Amino acid sequence: MSKHIMNEGYIGGDDFITSGKGSNIIINKKKILDLSLCAGSLILGHNSKIYRDSVREVLKLNISNFAAKNLHAANLSKTLKKIFPQYSKFIFCNSGTEAVIKSLRVARAISKKKLIISVSGSWHGSTGELLFTNDNKYRNIELSEGLDKNYSKNLKFIPYNNIENSKKILDKNRKKIMCIIIEPIQGCLPMNTKKYLKFLSDYANKNNITLIFDEIITGIRFNCSSVQNIFKLNPSISTFGKCLGGGFPMGIIALKKNIVNKLNKNKKNVFFGGTFSGNSINTYVGNKVTKFIIKNKKNIFEKLNEKAMYLQTQLNDFFIRFNYQARCYRFSSILRIVFTDKDIKNRTQRDFLEKKNRSAIDKFRKFLFKNKIYHSKNGIIFLATTTSYKDINYLIKIIQKGFKNKFH
Ligand SMILES: Cc1ncc(COP(=O)(O)O)c(C=O)c1O
């Protein structure tokens, strides 16, 4: 099979996933422990009861798609308003990428400026304008062929979790900034960076800069809420998706009242349309699953966090005891094993220190797969309510065996 039609989540040529239940997926008729869970979308695991019941209801109620205003999208909006009361408008689309593209469109519509400030290490999907990384001098590096050359001219990186250097770059460019966009807690190095986020939120507010939080992973996954709510931060636009689709594709652009007012006042007509935007099937299932999560939040999130903490502690105890160059980073139920024992603050440092261990990282992933564990190439480990202690203990045992045998 040509690699060109595969996305980077796939492993070998013929190892296609056929189905999933709970914490497992089936590949070539073999049960595999899934650490990806649809890139973090399935917080209740594969084929949860509420997901299956909702899909059955879709059929029973003759819910179809309409490409027009419908009750089910309105209901999901109402549910979102309960979790994010600070937003006055929720606009639906079909992927996180689409939500990010449209959030940048809004920011541009209300600004006369051009410069996007992106924060190193943040991932915003396949959004062309942001499909860059940075070198250690914060110069842009394209992550794909085929990007418009103007994208790079209008984009500048600041270093994640480095207040001093971020402030220098922001101050130097302040008058040119159209918006700042950040993945507040990053899948590439999940850890608590509240102080940095508070600095950025305050800087944007003080200087009247539109701040966009991309909470596509953390929206609802972080304690049935979000980074901005729990840390009391104040972005004016946010993007959500993943878990809030309940297993179906979802992208959400959330706008604060000040943004809606600016659009109205300046008679700005931002185009958000799309055949399947706010479609009733996705929003029906998304709403049912989200309401279930809200209703059972105490039980769901306490246990999820306990399990995630157990996995992190066990792995780090092992890495430290045997002097391995690895550490497990964690925020909420999002984890990542980083192949260095040095303390790191952001992805730039991570990439530099992991460089010499690239082939070990690759071998590690393949070793896990040989032992019936699917660890996606993006390196993020997501837990679901269905990931049991038995699963976690198996994972720990295999990781320990792998490190001891150099992944052979
Ligand atoms: C933080 C963040 N933003 C945006 C995206 C893009 O979302 P999608 O893959 O649904 O287009 C992702 C996807 O992994 C993400 O993690």
Side-chain angles (χ1 to χ4, degrees):
M1 184 60 68
S2 156
K3 67 179 188 180
H4 301 295
I5 64 158
M6 293 179 169
N7 75 37
E8 60 188 6
Y10 289 74
I11 291 181
D14 300 315
D15 297 323
F16 294 114
I17 304 168
T18 47
S19 59
K21 183 91 190 92
S23 56
N24 298 302
I25 45 179
I26 303 297
I27 301 179
N28 296 336
K29 302 199 171 114
K30 277 193 229 124
K31 202 157 110 177
I32 310 278
L33 175 63
D34 183 14
L35 304 182
S36 166
L37 295 152
C38 191
S41 308
L42 302 174
I43 200 164
L44 303 177
H46 292 280
N47 269 295
S48 65
K49 183 170 183 313
I50 182 69
Y51 166 85
R52 293 174 75 90
D53 287 349
S54 313
V55 173
R56 270 191 214 104
E57 281 164 26
V58 166
L59 301 177
K60 203 167 135 206
L61 298 170
N62 284 332
I63 296 175
S64 179
N65 272 329
F66 312 109
K69 210 166 146 180
N70 67 83
L71 179 68
H72 310 298
N75 285 343
L76 178 58
S77 252
K78 276 190 206 151
T79 304
L80 291 172
K81 184 83 182 161
K82 286 189 190 136
I83 320 174
F84 308 112
Q86 67 271 41
Y87 287 99
S88 64
K89 226 183 200 346
F90 298 98
I91 296 147
F92 297 116
C93 48
N94 289 287
S95 70
T97 300
E98 201 183 340
V100 172
I101 291 170
K102 288 174 175 174
S103 73
L104 292 176
R105 189 175 297 156
V106 175
R108 193 171 290 109
I110 56 171
S111 172
K112 293 196 170 61
K113 297 164 192 172
K114 286 192 175 153
L115 187 66
I116 300 172
I117 296 286
S118 188
V119 185
S120 68
S122 296
W123 175 246
H124 302 292
S126 118
T127 309
E129 287 153 280
L130 302 172
L131 212 44
F132 293 81
T133 183
N134 59 280
D135 63 15
N136 55 11
K137 295 208 166 78
Y138 295 95
R139 288 176 301 215
N140 301 340
I141 302 169
E142 288 185 347
L143 285 175
S144 170
E145 294 293 329
L147 300 177
D148 187 324
K149 294 296 163 210
N150 284 317
Y151 290 162
S152 186
K153 282 190 213 151
N154 295 328
L155 179 72
K156 206 160 210 49
F157 279 96
I158 54 174
Y160 183 73
N161 204 16
N162 181 334
I163 294 178
E164 197 187 325
N165 287 353
S166 291
K167 186 165 182 327
K168 271 188 207 152
I169 299 171
L170 288 167
D171 284 345
K172 206 168 143 200
N173 293 282
R174 194 166 45 90
K175 296 215 168 83
K176 293 186 274 181
I177 300 173
M178 183 261 279
C179 70
I180 303 173
I181 182 161
I182 181 171
E183 180 191 3
I185 300 297
Q186 304 189 330
C188 69
L189 194 67
M191 60 185 187
N192 189 331
T193 54
K194 184 174 175 185
K195 203 168 146 204
Y196 180 74
L197 298 175
K198 174 99 179 68
F199 150 75
L200 210 56
S201 176
D202 290 347
Y203 190 96
N205 286 335
K206 195 172 140 211
N207 292 289
N208 209 9
I209 295 169
T210 302
L211 177 63
I212 306 174
F213 262 31
D214 178 347
E215 296 224 46
I216 282 163
I217 288 182
T218 46
I220 210 169
R221 183 174 274 279
F222 181 26
N223 289 353
C224 199
S225 182
S226 58
V227 175
Q228 58 192 279
N229 285 6
I230 293 185
F231 291 171
K232 299 192 170 42
L233 305 169
N234 194 21
S236 33
I237 303 178
S238 284
T239 52
F240 301 105
K242 297 217 189 236
C243 295
L244 292 160
F248 274 54
M250 183 59 67
I252 299 161
I253 308 124
L255 303 179
K256 288 242 176 91
K257 204 175 181 102
N258 65 326
I259 300 290
V260 177
N261 287 347
K262 273 187 201 168
L263 289 171
N264 290 341
K265 192 172 145 218
N266 299 325
K267 297 199 168 56
K268 298 284 183 186
N269 231 338
V270 178
F271 182 75
F272 288 113
T275 307
F276 293 105
S277 294
N279 79 71
S280 33
I281 295 178
N282 297 23
T283 51
Y284 185 86
V285 175
N287 187 40
K288 285 279 164 167
V289 174
T290 303
K291 280 173 88 167
F292 176 89
I293 293 172
I294 295 171
K295 195 167 158 215
N296 296 285
K297 68 177 177 187
K298 198 165 177 322
N299 194 24
I300 290 176
F301 292 95
E302 257 178 39
K303 287 191 182 148
L304 210 50
N305 288 340
E306 262 171 37
K307 281 190 272 193
M309 207 191 300
Y310 173 75
L311 174 58
Q312 182 192 28
T313 310
Q314 292 292 315
L315 288 180
N316 282 339
D317 284 354
F318 168 75
F319 294 145
I320 291 166
R321 198 159 116 231
F322 293 97
N323 224 358
Y324 287 116
Q325 288 186 15
R327 292 291 179 270
C328 180
Y329 285 75
R330 177 182 75 86
F331 182 85
S332 182
S333 53
I334 311 157
L335 302 100
R336 183 185 195 95
I337 296 167
V338 174
F339 281 66
T340 174
D341 54 0
K342 304 273 180 306
D343 267 344
I344 48 176
K345 280 174 64 180
N346 56 39
R347 182 177 179 161
T348 311
Q349 293 175 351
R350 186 204 86 183
D351 285 353
F352 178 74
L353 288 161
E354 273 194 333
K355 215 183 213 162
K356 63 177 190 307
N357 289 327
R358 283 272 147 76
S359 74
I361 296 170
D362 206 40
K363 269 187 181 168
F364 172 65
R365 192 176 308 112
K366 286 182 180 143
F367 179 82
L368 291 186
F369 193 62
K370 236 173 33 197
N371 286 280
K372 299 191 181 154
I373 297 168
Y374 175 69
H375 185 28
S376 161
K377 246 185 167 177
N378 70 17
I380 312 173
I381 298 173
F382 289 103
L383 299 191
T385 51
T386 46
T387 318
S388 64
Y389 276 101
K390 193 172 163 213
D391 292 331
I392 293 173
N393 284 328
Y394 176 69
L395 174 63
I396 294 166
K397 192 180 96 187
I398 295 302
I399 291 177
Q400 291 181 346
K401 191 171 145 199
F403 271 84
K404 283 185 179 157
N405 298 332
K406 299 196 166 57
F407 314 123
H408 287 300

